[in-house]
Amino acid sequence: MRNIDEHSITPAVLESFAQCSDPRLREVLSALVQHLHDFAREVKLSEPEWMAAIEFLTATGQLCNDQRQEFILLSDVLGMSMLTVALNHAKRPEATEATVFGPFHVHGAPELPLGGDMGAGAAGEPLFVNVTVKGPDGQPVAHAQMDVWEADAEGFYDVQREGLPAAQGRAVFRTDAQGGAHFKAVLPVGYPIPTDGPVGRLLQATGRHPWRPAHLHFMIQAPGYETLVTHIFRDGDTYLDSDAVFGVRNSLIGDFQEHPAGATPDGDTSATPFHTLRYDFVLEPSA
């Protein structure tokens, strides 16, 4: 392995994986090295450029913590998140489409009874959500676990705010025997992804905007079905056709209806206008 040059380095590195006992690991690493080396040769990558890339990735990792995942954000804006979703979640036509997970999901969100208020004081216009979860045969999926999370009226998730005494804009619900679930939230608004880190600098350098169209996040899990990670987008949003993370699907655009102040679906009254959303989810059976 002496006298390595720009052409012999690639087969030398590939050969170094020959004793790898995990065939899938060997396959993935070999393809990665091959494409990465070909890329460097194609663009005639300079040493300062490669060092800038290393510094960028280092800064991305340094910004990751329990409240923020900058690498997921990077994956999202480069289209890798949606690419892997598309590669791994081919579904029958009637099943609800998946989309990006996003960097702001939190494990252990409070579980609320049906009808509960997941906004928990978050700023925003009232939204009453009524959904069903079914299988492709139309049978209701009872007791499915439904994680829901969203940003507030200022475009921030609770984990982006300091000093909150409890979770806001996120909760876990369980569908009833008929596969239904209803709860109160706040009307989602479009918001920019965080731009104060390396990913924001990348967007600025490439002339891209950071905006996401208004949406609610859902993760639905039930025995016998694939986990569904998806959004419901708000129809009419300015950024539906230029989502910074490429996540919009026509089938995921919901009809958020506005209502004047008065009686609300939960039997109460609202002194301000409110909104309702009705949507049916169809789960894909697990293999």
Side-chain angles (χ1 to χ4, degrees):
M1 202 177 295
R2 300 182 183 184
N3 304 318
I4 293 293
D5 61 20
E6 68 270 25
H7 302 294
S8 61
I9 182 66
T10 304
V13 176
L14 297 179
E15 177 61 27
S16 73
F17 299 144
Q19 303 305 313
C20 178
S21 60
D22 185 331
R24 177 58 177 169
L25 177 61
R26 184 170 64 251
E27 178 187 13
V28 170
L29 283 178
S30 297
L32 174 64
V33 167
Q34 184 71 61
H35 288 292
L36 187 61
H37 285 204
D38 287 345
F39 156 76
R41 282 186 284 262
E42 178 185 344
V43 301
K44 294 181 171 57
L45 194 68
S46 70
E47 289 177 279
E49 288 168 340
W50 183 236
M51 183 55 63
I54 292 173
E55 291 171 351
F56 174 85
L57 294 175
T58 300
T60 299
Q62 289 171 338
L63 203 56
C64 295
N65 53 47
D66 291 342
Q67 285 75 44
R68 177 165 176 174
Q69 233 302 345
E70 191 79 357
F71 267 115
I72 291 181
L73 204 61
L74 178 61
S75 172
D76 289 348
V77 303
L78 293 180
M80 281 301 298
S81 297
M82 273 310 305
L83 175 58
T84 55
V85 167
L87 287 171
N88 290 281
H89 294 280
K91 301 177 184 293
R92 61 193 72 201
E94 62 270 27
T96 302
E97 292 186 276
T99 190
V100 294
F101 191 59
F104 295 114
H105 176 262
V106 173
H107 293 287
E111 185 162 343
L112 299 181
L114 294 180
D117 181 4
M118 65 171 271
E125 299 178 25
L127 172 67
F128 295 87
V129 181
N130 194 322
V131 301
T132 61
V133 180
K134 300 179 180 180
D137 56 1
Q139 291 296 311
V141 180
H143 313 303
Q145 177 177 305
M146 178 183 296
D147 281 64
V148 191
W149 65 104
E150 64 169 330
D152 61 24
E154 295 180 342
F156 292 104
Y157 291 84
D158 58 354
V159 294
Q160 295 176 281
R161 296 190 179 278
E162 295 183 2
L164 287 179
Q168 288 185 340
R170 66 179 71 245
V172 177
F173 301 96
R174 302 274 178 174
T175 58
D176 60 24
Q178 288 72 47
H182 61 281
F183 55 89
K184 186 179 179 182
V186 297
L187 183 70
V189 299
Y191 63 85
I193 61 174
T195 57
D196 58 340
V199 174
R201 293 193 290 275
L202 174 65
L203 292 180
Q204 184 179 23
T206 54
R208 287 176 54 185
H209 74 70
W211 286 85
R212 297 220 62 205
H215 59 276
L216 286 172
H217 291 264
F218 288 84
M219 180 168 66
I220 304 174
Q221 303 175 80
Y225 296 93
E226 291 184 4
T227 295
L228 173 64
V229 175
T230 195
H231 302 357
I232 302 301
F233 294 93
R234 185 177 164 192
D235 196 11
D237 191 283
T238 302
Y239 297 102
L240 286 173
D241 293 314
S242 61
D243 180 10
V245 306
F246 312 99
V248 178
R249 297 290 179 266
N250 285 337
S251 66
L252 301 179
I253 299 176
D255 183 15
F256 290 75
Q257 296 190 4
E258 184 174 4
H259 304 268
T264 56
D266 61 353
D268 203 348
T269 58
S270 175
T272 63
F274 63 91
H275 301 257
T276 57
L277 171 66
R278 180 78 179 82
Y279 196 86
D280 295 326
F281 294 99
V282 178
L283 301 186
E284 178 78 10
S286 55

